[in-house]
Amino acid sequence: MQTVLGTHRSAADATQVHEHYLKGTVFCGQCGSRLIVCNAKSSQGTIYPYFVCASRHGGRGDCTRQAMLIEQVERLIERFYAKVQIDPETIEAVSAMIHARFDEMMAEGAAELADLASRRTQLGGEQQKLLQAHYAGAIPLDLLKREQDRITASLETIEYRITAHHDHYADARANLDDSLKLLSNAADIYEHADDANRRLLNQALFKTIDIDEDNDVRVGYRNPYDGLSIPGLHADALSWAAEAKKMGQAEPSTKGGPLVASSHLTRLG
């Protein structure tokens, strides 16, 4: 049987799968309960798998959500992925804008890094002087050990802070690039994925997928996709890119702009 975006099993074949790949991911858009799998048999003996609201099925609450053929829910989510996927122009603009902000944030920390490097050099000099004083008999061994331990601890702290500073931005940049790459191909990947990989993709992108009574799909994105998928960020990035092109700059300043509030930069690490 052909679906909108690819070849899928028939309704009868679906009953052979003990756990559907959407199980645990889809929820009732009316009451928020999970949608569970139930099978209905026609008068001709054909079995049709449905998603039904767990609350209504269990007689809890007053939810009136009607059952939906599983294949219909599959098609709704396949179509929704066209909204998840971001066009190349927007991807490029978002990437350039956030990387530019990372550059600014690293520059803002340059003074601190310079201070740490200077302090590291100073402590290294102190170590050498202590050793020379000890060899000259001016400092006893126990005092030398205490001072060396103090300096070593300080140097380890400095090295950790310097390394963490660079690693934080390196990890954040890599996470940004990986996330945007996925969003740029999400619909294409989902169309050609098997059930197991569709499940993984849904779990990677969404905390929940809600199916409303009128067949609208609403999702709760996971980090960092919640920040990267908001329309406000896309509009900001396109405006930023247009300004950059107009000014002949590769990376116009983003200080004080909407990026700081809207891009969830701290989550990208």
Side-chain angles (χ1 to χ4, degrees), residues 191-211:
E191 175 184 353
H192 297 99
D194 59 20
D195 287 356
N197 282 304
R198 284 190 169 196
R199 182 180 183 86
L200 289 174
L201 187 58
N202 286 329
Q203 291 176 339
L205 289 172
F206 313 123
K207 291 182 287 188
T208 60
I209 301 175
D210 298 319
I211 311 296

Side-chain angles (χ1 to χ4, degrees), residues 74-122:
E74 290 176 337
R75 288 197 298 268
L76 289 174
I77 295 174
E78 288 168 0
R79 291 169 181 165
F80 180 78
Y81 262 84
K83 300 179 181 179
V84 174
Q85 185 160 306
I86 305 175
D87 65 90
E89 180 185 5
T90 303
I91 286 286
E92 183 178 357
V94 170
S95 177
M97 184 176 70
I98 297 182
H99 275 297
R101 180 56 183 144
F102 281 141
D103 290 342
E104 290 183 2
M105 294 167 69
M106 289 190 71
E108 290 165 1
E112 179 187 0
L113 287 176
D115 290 341
L116 289 172
S118 176
R119 178 60 178 158
R120 179 175 58 186
T121 300
Q122 179 184 348

Side-chain angles (χ1 to χ4, degrees), residues 13-258:
D13 291 338
T15 62
Q16 304 303 314
V17 180
H18 296 292
E19 182 171 315
H20 192 272
Y21 69 90
L22 291 175
K23 182 179 178 182
T25 306
V26 287
F27 292 79
C28 173
Q30 183 170 340
C31 72
S33 298
R34 290 184 183 275
L35 296 182
I36 60 176
V37 178
C38 287
N39 295 320
K41 182 182 291 187
S42 70
S43 57
Q44 289 76 29
T46 303
I47 296 177
Y48 295 95
Y50 284 85
F51 272 128
V52 299
C53 172
S55 291
R56 182 176 183 184
H57 183 70
R60 304 185 301 274
D62 55 358
C63 184
T64 58
R65 182 71 172 84
Q66 298 295 314
M68 297 181 66
L69 277 169
I70 285 181
E71 190 175 5
Q72 182 183 0
V73 176
E74 290 176 337
R75 288 197 298 268
L76 289 174
I77 295 174
E78 288 168 0
R79 291 169 181 165
F80 180 78
Y81 262 84
K83 300 179 181 179
V84 174
Q85 185 160 306
I86 305 175
D87 65 90
E89 180 185 5
T90 303
I91 286 286
E92 183 178 357
V94 170
S95 177
M97 184 176 70
I98 297 182
H99 275 297
R101 180 56 183 144
F102 281 141
D103 290 342
E104 290 183 2
M105 294 167 69
M106 289 190 71
E108 290 165 1
E112 179 187 0
L113 287 176
D115 290 341
L116 289 172
S118 176
R119 178 60 178 158
R120 179 175 58 186
T121 300
Q122 179 184 348
L123 288 172
E126 289 182 20
Q127 278 186 322
Q128 292 299 318
K129 290 179 180 179
L130 282 170
L131 284 173
Q132 291 171 3
H134 172 67
Y135 293 148
I139 294 180
L141 181 60
D142 58 342
L143 178 57
L144 172 66
K145 186 178 183 307
R146 287 198 303 270
E147 287 300 298
Q148 290 283 39
D149 289 345
R150 174 186 63 81
I151 293 174
T152 298
S154 297
L155 286 171
E156 288 176 351
T157 300
I158 289 172
E159 290 293 344
Y160 173 81
R161 291 175 62 183
I162 291 175
T163 301
H165 179 86
H166 291 297
D167 288 350
H168 171 74
Y169 288 108
D171 291 344
R173 288 180 191 273
N175 196 8
L176 169 65
D177 292 337
D178 289 344
S179 300
L180 289 176
K181 183 177 181 181
L182 178 57
L183 292 177
S184 69
N185 297 283
D188 302 327
I189 294 172
Y190 198 78
E191 175 184 353
H192 297 99
D194 59 20
D195 287 356
N197 282 304
R198 284 190 169 196
R199 182 180 183 86
L200 289 174
L201 187 58
N202 286 329
Q203 291 176 339
L205 289 172
F206 313 123
K207 291 182 287 188
T208 60
I209 301 175
D210 298 319
I211 311 296
D212 290 337
E213 189 75 54
D214 55 2
N215 291 338
D216 282 340
V217 176
R218 294 181 290 106
V219 302
Y221 283 99
R222 295 189 184 277
N223 294 338
Y225 304 102
D226 53 347
L228 294 174
S229 299
I230 57 178
L233 176 64
H234 301 171
D236 293 342
L238 290 170
S239 297
W240 180 93
E243 179 187 356
K245 185 176 180 180
K246 181 179 178 181
M247 297 173 61
Q249 291 179 279
E251 299 172 352
S253 174
T254 56
K255 279 188 178 178

